[in-house]
Amino acid sequence: MQKPSIPKGTRDFGPIEMARRNYIFDTIRSVFRLYGFRQIETPAMEQMSTLMGKYGEEGDKLLFRIQNSGEKAGEAPEKGLRYDLTVPFARYVVQHREEIAVPFRRFQIQPVWRADRPQKGRYREFYQCDADIIGTDSLVSEYELVKIIQEVFRRFGVRVCLHVNNRKVLAGIAEVIGAPDKIIDITVAIDKLDKIGVDAVNAELRERGLSDEAVAALQPILHQEAGITNQSKIAGLRQFLATSEVGMKGIEELETLFGLIGDEEWVELDLCLARGLNYYTGAIFEVKALDVQIGSISGGGRYDNLTGVFGMPGMSGVGISFGADRIYDVLNELNLYPEAMMGSTQVLFATFGPDELRYALRWAEALRQEGIATEVYPEPTKMKKQMGYADQLNIPYVAIVGGDEMAQNKVMLKNMTTGNQQLVALNELITLIPNH
Amino acid sequence: MQKPSIPKGTRDFGPIEMARRNYIFDTIRSVFRLYGFRQIETPAMEQMSTLMGKYGEEGDKLLFRIQNSGEKAGEAPEKGLRYDLTVPFARYVVQHREEIAVPFRRFQIQPVWRADRPQKGRYREFYQCDADIIGTDSLVSEYELVKIIQEVFRRFGVRVCLHVNNRKVLAGIAEVIGAPDKIIDITVAIDKLDKIGVDAVNAELRERGLSDEAVAALQPILHQEAGITNQSKIAGLRQFLATSEVGMKGIEELETLFGLIGDEEWVELDLCLARGLNYYTGAIFEVKALDVQIGSISGGGRYDNLTGVFGMPGMSGVGISFGADRIYDVLNELNLYPEAMMGSTQVLFATFGPDELRYALRWAEALRQEGIATEVYPEPTKMKKQMGYADQLNIPYVAIVGGDEMAQNKVMLKNMTTGNQQLVALNELITLIPNH
């Protein structure tokens, strides 16, 4: 007999985990909708030709491939599982270009799959929650994503810091320090500043071929003064980047965006934020929780050419992705789930015999008509067993039905928190159940 | 340049389709919860050993297999995509047996994948919406599933007929006509009665090795009088099955279930309902829409041994599965989507210049605080273009902002349905937007 298990890196979600996860998804979805985003879904499987070459060499290796029985083993599979939501979205935009009104504000909440080595907090199946605005290069879009981030974490009750940077500024820095061709090496290295520290970043920069002069010139960026205002940082950068056209364009964008955002303490211009993905071309974002050490819990940025690889050039956009699994860990650690949310069944009927059971079924239907989630224990078995079931599932009220209660057209309602019991009629019972 | 496409048998869902699908899933989910069911989710991929041999030889061939790059092509893949929600549920129950309180009322709404030949109305990726009660053989569970079916389709506004039968009755019939070993052949054949007619069913029965006498003895079952009550049918069956122990047990179960259901015109005892799946052992159900020709839109039944194949015998249960894709087709054909549901964005701000745009962003935040889904057109471009966007997306109100409106601290609100315009202050605007 087989002992069952699930593939490594995947998870089952039981009722309590599901209630928590639904709370996270519902909150994010509500905010997306409030800002006028429209939901789409794409298939779990995409053509391999859609996926290959979009995530770098490393990414290609992490794709799950799908075979059906028509294909011989050894034949190259034509399909693969979705690796993120961005490439399927780009494919969607090109395929449905005739139906789409731009600017297109789309959101998408679906699982993705990566054949990463499973480890703590990293899974092979996990959800992404993405919102993008495409078809406009107005910085108002960046601003609205900042407001969405603020509202989502306000609703969760999680204190966060939003780190903002701009890829054009990073390109300008590369130019100014005399290493314009090293922009990718520079961003990859300084992206690690938080994790490995400034000395290791400098070593990596030299390894990646930057001259000692270039590394020296970069130091003011790596040693930003803590606590100075975003405006002062921008002023400093404006001097540093004065000779770089792209750098000054980046400064302009930062000024516009911070002008819209205003003076917000939770938003920080962070010149060491780079974000690994190379398709970003303007603003980049990363959100960190203040009260939990967990790394980035959402991030995104501006890209100039989402759909070029599918033959549709010039589609600019900006997007944000919320990491549901990390947010789940943060809410768990801070114990921030609303109490009411966990309420599934509110009343369980427990009965002493088959006639009482039939009586309870009628009452249960009446409660459900009132929107009260109700169960009837399906057998008139030992009362202890029925009460134990209510206990185990944290059902707050048990309506006990014996012959006496039935004769009076009532039930004995037990409040499982206080232990109090009272004999009540149907209309009383309905008014006694809170929050339905 | 590649022209993108998606794998055959899969679908993209755009915003309007998503709103409709969400309406279907939300409705079913609400009813499941009202009846005290608890949600679980299982991974998209299961071990091949979990899946193989559970769906018959045909089913094995329809499994999608998953390879990751660590595996050499030609090596047998260890993982496959979920083919239904029942086998993963059985696996879940065995794996989490220590945490589960029985009776366990679980629901699960997730996609499944089958390498079927794609055709109209049949997809390779589709959603199932399952609810099961396990760990009790009380017929109250069957009754509650009937109530769930009734409530779900009442909420949709779809008139349905619920066909009910019992596998023990079918086994009794096989016994009585002298072909007890032919129960599977008989059920497979009479399951097709609706599609191929009584003569073809008789021919198939003979082909499957039933004697002429057995086929003759079966005719009263195949020629049920239309329009007689369920009670009369049961009475007739009671005589027909008098000599069969299992048959009489089935009669008892039917009597109990119909006793609980009472006299409901929409529920029909249908002796020709068999359902293909051989794991059913008691009641079986199938729901058909009365006003659309589309076949079964949900179905289920009682099974005695859900988890035996995973080494945990004696777990009885009963389940129902709603076919979201067919329900979608039915609601489309009958045009039964509630109007209000489609409402995404309620107000679009359209502006004449950059100052007006910043002004609009502040107003939009105020509207969102009130729960009104709001967009700001991100560029102060041609008014015609901004209005065209609102038109294309069926946004019901456009708030137009020019210098005059700004000077008065107002906006010009245009009702896109009537064409009426009025100059309003923020608090007036909020009261004018319905249903938020």
Side-chain angles (χ1 to χ4, degrees):
Chain A
M1 199 57 70
Q2 11 176 329
K3 195 190 151 203
S5 67
I6 49 177
K8 61 181 178 180
T10 69
R11 293 164 289 174
D12 284 326
F13 298 110
I16 292 172
E17 289 152 312
M18 279 309 299
R20 293 178 172 187
R21 290 172 66 81
N22 284 335
Y23 167 68
I24 292 171
F25 294 132
D26 291 346
T27 301
I28 294 173
R29 189 167 24 229
S30 304
V31 177
F32 285 166
R33 286 195 180 131
L34 195 57
Y35 281 78
F37 286 74
R38 292 171 178 79
Q39 190 172 15
I40 70 162
E41 282 188 3
T42 62
M45 44 181 91
E46 293 277 352
Q47 310 284 13
M48 281 307 290
S49 58
T50 299
L51 301 172
M52 289 294 286
K54 308 304 188 300
Y55 307 107
E57 238 173 86
E58 274 309 298
D60 282 355
K61 285 191 202 143
L62 300 182
L63 293 171
F64 282 111
R65 290 139 193 268
I66 296 169
Q67 270 193 333
N68 52 8
S69 51
E71 292 162 345
K72 292 187 192 69
E75 235 175 287
E78 288 171 359
K79 297 180 289 286
L81 288 177
R82 185 169 54 216
Y83 179 90
D84 73 354
L85 302 180
T86 303
V87 167
F89 175 48
R91 194 263 313 141
Y92 177 95
V93 169
V94 176
Q95 214 175 315
H96 301 269
R97 59 213 291 177
E98 306 299 337
E99 313 145 34
I100 291 172
V102 287
F104 183 32
R105 303 157 82 85
R106 93 87 170 73
F107 81 89
Q108 188 168 358
I109 299 180
Q110 290 192 279
V112 302
W113 296 270
R114 296 180 184 179
D116 253 322
R117 196 133 55 105
Q119 48 179 272
K120 194 180 172 329
R122 187 188 291 171
Y123 304 102
R124 292 185 149 192
E125 174 180 60
F126 59 96
Y127 268 77
Q128 293 191 333
C129 311
D130 282 20
D132 291 77
I133 306 173
I134 62 162
T136 171
D137 52 16
S138 164
L139 290 160
V140 163
S141 306
E142 274 85 339
Y143 168 69
E144 293 211 296
L145 293 183
V146 170
K147 298 305 283 183
I148 284 176
I149 292 166
Q150 184 176 27
E151 178 64 12
V152 164
F153 290 106
R154 187 192 68 73
R155 291 187 183 197
F156 285 138
V158 173
R159 300 195 312 136
V160 296
C161 177
L162 173 66
H163 298 253
V164 178
N165 199 0
N166 188 296
R167 274 292 172 92
K168 294 190 183 76
V169 166
L170 291 172
I173 291 170
E175 257 183 44
V176 164
I177 68 170
D181 56 322
K182 293 286 185 195
I183 162 85
I184 290 172
D185 294 285
I186 295 169
T187 57
V188 168
I190 72 174
D191 202 22
K192 300 180 186 164
L193 187 65
D194 253 16
K195 281 180 207 140
I196 63 176
V198 69
D199 291 343
V201 166
N202 285 336
E204 182 165 338
L205 287 166
R206 282 186 203 100
E207 261 168 50
R208 287 173 175 272
L210 263 79
S211 68
D212 287 348
E213 292 74 27
V215 173
L218 188 65
Q219 294 314 299
I221 303 297
L222 299 183
H223 291 87
Q224 277 181 74
E225 259 179 275
I228 68 170
T229 66
N230 296 322
Q231 296 305 333
S232 314
K233 280 185 199 167
I234 294 175
L237 264 182
R238 181 179 279 284
Q239 293 189 307
F240 190 89
L241 294 174
T243 58
S244 162
E245 191 179 333
V246 64
M248 290 310 285
K249 179 81 180 70
I251 291 293
E252 236 177 76
E253 289 181 9
L254 280 179
E255 278 185 331
T256 304
L257 179 56
F258 277 97
L260 287 168
I261 294 172
D263 202 16
E264 294 270 356
E265 219 175 304
W266 71 286
V267 185
E268 187 192 332
L269 172 56
D270 176 1
L271 294 175
C272 294
L273 171 67
R275 284 186 74 71
L277 295 167
N278 282 313
Y279 55 77
Y280 292 124
T281 53
I284 45 182
F285 303 113
E286 219 161 84
V287 179
K288 287 187 178 150
L290 292 183
D291 304 311
V292 181
Q293 286 284 353
I294 199 167
S296 153
I297 53 177
S298 58
R302 160 75 62 180
Y303 39 84
D304 270 350
N305 194 6
L306 177 69
T307 53
V309 69
F310 296 117
M312 185 180 174
M315 183 59 84
S316 177
V318 58
I320 177 86
S321 183
F322 288 88
D325 290 283
R326 284 194 173 167
I327 293 172
Y328 179 86
D329 290 343
V330 169
L331 297 189
N332 273 344
E333 191 162 332
L334 301 177
N335 197 17
L336 285 176
Y337 294 100
E339 290 250 338
M341 176 205 83
M342 302 312 299
S344 44
T345 296
Q346 296 170 281
V347 181
L348 173 76
F349 281 87
T351 61
F352 278 105
D355 291 341
E356 289 90 335
L357 179 53
R358 274 190 298 276
Y359 174 90
L361 287 171
R362 284 197 307 277
W363 275 55
E365 280 304 315
L367 263 58
R368 288 163 181 153
Q369 293 289 329
E370 299 293 324
I372 300 169
T374 305
E375 286 181 56
V376 179
Y377 198 92
E379 300 162 26
T381 184
K382 286 191 191 115
M383 191 48 61
K384 195 180 160 194
K385 193 170 169 190
Q386 300 184 61
M387 300 301 287
Y389 173 84
D391 245 358
Q392 203 177 343
L393 293 179
N394 288 315
I395 298 174
Y397 294 93
V398 178
I400 302 164
V401 190
D404 287 353
E405 286 83 9
M406 241 170 70
Q408 297 177 65
N409 206 18
K410 295 199 169 172
V411 300
M412 183 64 74
L413 186 68
K414 176 163 183 173
N415 180 323
M416 297 294 280
T417 318
T418 63
N420 290 345
Q421 296 198 161
Q422 54 180 319
L423 197 66
V424 296
L426 183 58
N427 56 350
E428 294 172 283
L429 173 51
I430 288 166
T431 58
L432 283 169
I433 307 302
N435 302 324
H436 64 266
Chain B
M1 200 54 72
Q2 9 177 332
K3 195 189 151 203
S5 66
I6 48 177
K8 60 180 178 180
T10 68
R11 293 163 289 172
D12 285 326
F13 298 110
I16 292 172
E17 289 153 313
M18 279 308 299
R20 292 177 172 187
R21 289 173 66 83
N22 284 335
Y23 167 68
I24 292 171
F25 294 132
D26 290 347
T27 301
I28 293 173
R29 189 167 24 229
S30 305
V31 176
F32 285 166
R33 286 195 180 132
L34 195 56
Y35 280 79
F37 286 75
R38 292 173 177 79
Q39 189 171 16
I40 71 162
E41 283 187 3
T42 61
M45 44 182 90
E46 294 277 352
Q47 310 284 13
M48 281 308 288
S49 58
T50 299
L51 300 172
M52 288 294 285
K54 308 304 188 300
Y55 307 106
E57 238 173 86
E58 273 310 298
D60 282 355
K61 286 191 201 143
L62 300 182
L63 293 171
F64 281 111
R65 290 138 194 270
I66 297 169
Q67 270 193 332
N68 51 8
S69 52
E71 291 162 346
K72 293 187 191 70
E75 234 175 287
E78 287 172 359
K79 298 181 287 288
L81 288 177
R82 185 168 55 217
Y83 179 90
D84 73 355
L85 302 180
T86 303
V87 167
F89 175 48
R91 194 263 314 142
Y92 177 95
V93 169
V94 176
Q95 215 176 314
H96 302 269
R97 60 213 292 176
E98 306 298 337
E99 313 145 33
I100 290 173
V102 286
F104 183 32
R105 303 157 81 86
R106 93 86 170 74
F107 80 89
Q108 189 169 357
I109 298 180
Q110 290 191 278
V112 301
W113 296 270
R114 296 181 185 179
D116 253 322
R117 195 132 57 104
Q119 48 180 272
K120 194 181 171 328
R122 187 187 291 170
Y123 303 102
R124 291 184 151 193
E125 174 180 61
F126 58 96
Y127 268 77
Q128 293 192 332
C129 311
D130 282 20
D132 291 77
I133 306 172
I134 63 162
T136 171
D137 53 15
S138 164
L139 291 160
V140 163
S141 307
E142 274 85 339
Y143 167 69
E144 293 211 296
L145 292 183
V146 170
K147 298 307 282 184
I148 284 176
I149 292 166
Q150 184 176 26
E151 180 64 12
V152 164
F153 290 107
R154 188 192 67 73
R155 292 188 183 196
F156 285 138
V158 174
R159 299 194 314 136
V160 296
C161 177
L162 174 66
H163 298 253
V164 177
N165 199 0
N166 188 294
R167 274 292 172 90
K168 295 190 184 77
V169 166
L170 290 172
I173 291 170
E175 255 183 46
V176 163
I177 68 170
D181 55 321
K182 293 286 184 193
I183 162 84
I184 290 172
D185 294 285
I186 296 170
T187 55
V188 168
I190 71 174
D191 202 23
K192 300 180 186 164
L193 187 65
D194 254 17
K195 281 180 207 140
I196 62 177
V198 70
D199 290 342
V201 167
N202 285 336
E204 181 165 338
L205 287 166
R206 283 189 202 96
E207 261 167 50
R208 287 172 174 273
L210 263 79
S211 67
D212 287 348
E213 292 74 29
V215 174
L218 187 64
Q219 294 313 298
I221 303 297
L222 299 183
H223 292 86
Q224 278 180 75
E225 262 177 273
I228 68 169
T229 67
N230 296 323
Q231 296 305 334
S232 315
K233 280 185 200 169
I234 294 175
L237 265 181
R238 180 178 279 284
Q239 292 189 309
F240 189 90
L241 294 174
T243 57
S244 161
E245 192 178 333
V246 64
M248 291 309 286
K249 181 80 179 70
I251 293 292
E252 235 177 77
E253 290 181 10
L254 280 179
E255 278 185 332
T256 304
L257 179 55
F258 277 97
L260 287 168
I261 294 172
D263 202 16
E264 294 271 356
E265 220 175 302
W266 70 286
V267 185
E268 187 192 333
L269 172 56
D270 176 0
L271 295 175
C272 294
L273 171 68
R275 284 186 75 73
L277 294 168
N278 282 311
Y279 57 76
Y280 291 125
T281 53
I284 45 182
F285 303 112
E286 219 161 85
V287 179
K288 287 186 178 150
L290 292 184
D291 304 312
V292 181
Q293 285 285 353
I294 198 167
S296 152
I297 53 177
S298 60
R302 160 75 62 180
Y303 39 82
D304 270 350
N305 194 5
L306 177 70
T307 53
V309 69
F310 296 116
M312 185 181 174
M315 183 59 85
S316 177
V318 58
I320 177 87
S321 183
F322 289 87
D325 290 283
R326 283 193 173 168
I327 292 172
Y328 180 84
D329 289 343
V330 168
L331 297 189
N332 273 344
E333 191 161 332
L334 301 177
N335 197 16
L336 286 175
Y337 294 101
E339 290 251 338
M341 175 205 83
M342 302 312 298
S344 43
T345 296
Q346 296 170 281
V347 181
L348 173 78
F349 281 88
T351 61
F352 279 104
D355 290 342
E356 289 91 333
L357 179 54
R358 275 191 297 276
Y359 174 90
L361 287 171
R362 285 198 306 277
W363 275 56
E365 280 305 314
L367 262 58
R368 288 163 181 154
Q369 293 288 328
E370 299 293 324
I372 300 170
T374 305
E375 286 181 55
V376 179
Y377 198 92
E379 301 161 27
T381 183
K382 285 192 192 114
M383 191 47 62
K384 196 181 160 193
K385 192 170 170 190
Q386 301 184 59
M387 300 301 285
Y389 174 83
D391 244 359
Q392 203 177 343
L393 293 179
N394 287 314
I395 298 174
Y397 294 93
V398 178
I400 301 164
V401 190
D404 287 353
E405 286 84 9
M406 242 170 70
Q408 298 177 65
N409 206 18
K410 295 198 169 173
V411 299
M412 184 64 74
L413 185 68
K414 176 164 183 173
N415 180 324
M416 298 293 280
T417 318
T418 63
N420 289 345
Q421 296 198 161
Q422 54 180 318
L423 197 67
V424 296
L426 183 58
N427 56 350
E428 294 172 283
L429 173 52
I430 288 166
T431 58
L432 283 168
I433 306 302
N435 303 322
H436 63 268

